[in-house]
Amino acid sequence: MFVPRCHDRAAGIAAGYLADLLLGDPRRGHPVAGFGTVAARLERLTYADSRWAGLRHTALLLSGLWLLGQLAGRRGQMWVTAAATFIALGGTSLNRVGGQMSDLLTAGDVDGARRLLPSLCGRDPAALDATGIARATVESLAENTSDAQVAPMFWAAVGGVPGVLVYRGANTLDAMIGHRSPRYERFGWAAARFDDLLNYVPARLTGILVAACAPVVGGSASAALRAWRNDAARHPSPNAGVAEASFAGALGVRLGGPTQYTHRLEIRPTLGDGRIPEIADLDRAVRLSRAVQAGSAVVAVALAVALSAACRTGRRVSPRW
């Protein structure tokens, strides 16, 4: 079995994080967009209104990414890990959009904020005023800090290049077909459930990091943990609820409530016991997201070093028959 040198994976993760911090998402030719194009074209051949068809579609695409990661991970381990990590991360672009949203709402440009909102989430912008857009932005910053930064860093540390590519592919498929619409209710079931599985541990790591970083925005770690404990389980998502509830507690705001999507209206439970988010809270949410992202990088690098060292130690002490 191929085992990377002890610090190759950790150094690659650190380099990928720094590249995302400096560059953000590529404006053109993003590999994730390319994967989405391939997935959409394959769907024309594999689609049927059944869970079994969706499972085959999801398995085919993700097994291809796993094989690609296995092949790529054997060449130039550090730099391939750095490239894969950079491709999978989206935290810097997320925070840039959050900052732009804050600027638009502060300037009173609600129409501009509505045009920008689809780049953050699938809410119906026409149904939201400035307060609703502010709430949607904070919720999206919370959820995507976990999905676009903490989770890919975690899977890069645990699974290397194959792990981070499969995670990003699964998360992309969930965004494409994992929602509850008439077309994807059954076909997208496997993609949604697999994304839930891959995000289970990272979401809870996000909650811990949010609590640890709460003082950065004048918040309380205990308030973040209390909101997580009291409210997260009532959210329809087993993972987004953790991120959103901990953000709500750390920021001292109340999230959740009626949520209008393109295809449906959901009555979400409230998360946190603070006030309704205000425009000024957007900058605080962006700062909290940045702090959590930095914390996740430190955790991922430390985890990669520990796992690689343990693996090498295991090889040295394994008996020779």
Side-chain angles (χ1 to χ4, degrees):
M1 183 181 68
F2 174 72
V3 179
R5 288 181 297 172
C6 183
H7 297 293
D8 278 357
R9 184 177 294 178
I13 291 170
Y17 166 72
L18 291 174
D20 179 69
L21 196 64
L22 294 173
L23 303 174
D25 289 340
R27 293 184 180 274
R28 295 182 180 178
H30 198 303
V32 173
F35 172 79
T37 300
V38 171
R41 289 177 178 174
L42 181 65
E43 185 182 327
R44 299 172 190 169
L45 303 174
T46 59
Y47 179 80
D49 189 18
S50 74
R51 289 183 175 183
W52 176 242
L55 176 61
R56 286 182 296 176
H57 177 78
T58 300
L60 183 60
L61 287 164
L62 298 186
S63 61
L65 286 178
W66 180 84
L67 180 60
L68 176 63
Q70 286 286 340
L71 295 173
R74 295 173 180 268
R75 299 185 177 185
Q77 180 69 20
M78 173 184 168
W79 295 112
V80 173
T81 300
T85 302
F86 170 63
I87 288 168
L89 295 180
T92 295
S93 294
L94 170 69
N95 289 334
R96 286 176 180 171
V97 175
Q100 292 168 8
M101 188 68 78
S102 176
D103 292 341
L104 288 170
L105 291 178
T106 300
D109 187 358
V110 177
D111 289 337
R114 289 190 180 118
R115 288 192 295 270
L116 182 62
L117 189 64
S119 64
L120 279 174
C121 61
R123 311 285 175 89
D124 181 4
L128 299 176
D129 58 10
T131 300
I133 293 172
R135 190 199 105 192
T137 300
V138 174
E139 291 173 353
S140 297
L141 284 168
E143 181 178 1
N144 287 305
T145 295
S146 181
D147 288 359
Q149 194 79 13
V150 179
M153 297 286 277
F154 174 82
W155 284 109
V158 171
V161 175
V164 73
L165 291 184
V166 168
Y167 171 76
R168 178 45 66 203
N171 192 245
T172 302
L173 283 177
D174 179 56
M176 294 177 68
I177 65 174
H179 44 84
R180 293 181 178 176
S181 66
R183 177 177 175 85
Y184 294 123
E185 180 75 26
R186 295 182 182 86
F187 185 75
W189 179 86
R193 297 292 78 75
F194 190 59
D195 181 72
D196 285 344
L197 177 65
L198 292 184
N199 274 298
Y200 187 85
V201 173
R204 281 136 189 91
L205 175 58
T206 300
I208 293 170
L209 290 170
V210 169
C213 297
V216 171
V217 292
S220 162
S222 61
L225 295 173
R226 182 171 62 253
W228 173 4
R229 181 181 64 250
N230 293 341
D231 301 331
R234 299 190 292 122
H235 194 283
S237 167
N239 300 318
V242 175
E244 291 181 24
S246 57
F247 257 72
L251 295 169
V253 300
R254 182 172 70 254
L255 301 177
T259 303
Q260 180 66 56
Y261 290 94
T262 303
H263 303 287
R264 67 196 186 282
L265 172 66
E266 289 188 5
I267 305 301
R268 296 282 183 87
T270 56
L271 308 173
D273 55 7
R275 53 183 169 72
I276 295 173
E278 301 171 353
I279 295 172
D281 292 313
L282 297 187
D283 285 335
R284 297 176 64 229
V286 168
R287 293 202 308 272
L288 180 58
S289 175
R290 285 176 179 156
V292 170
Q293 291 176 33
S296 73
V298 173
V299 170
V301 168
L303 182 59
V305 169
L307 291 176
S308 297
C311 188
R312 289 176 62 86
T313 300
R315 288 190 68 194
R316 286 198 298 269
V317 301
S318 61
R320 297 179 181 273
W321 301 99

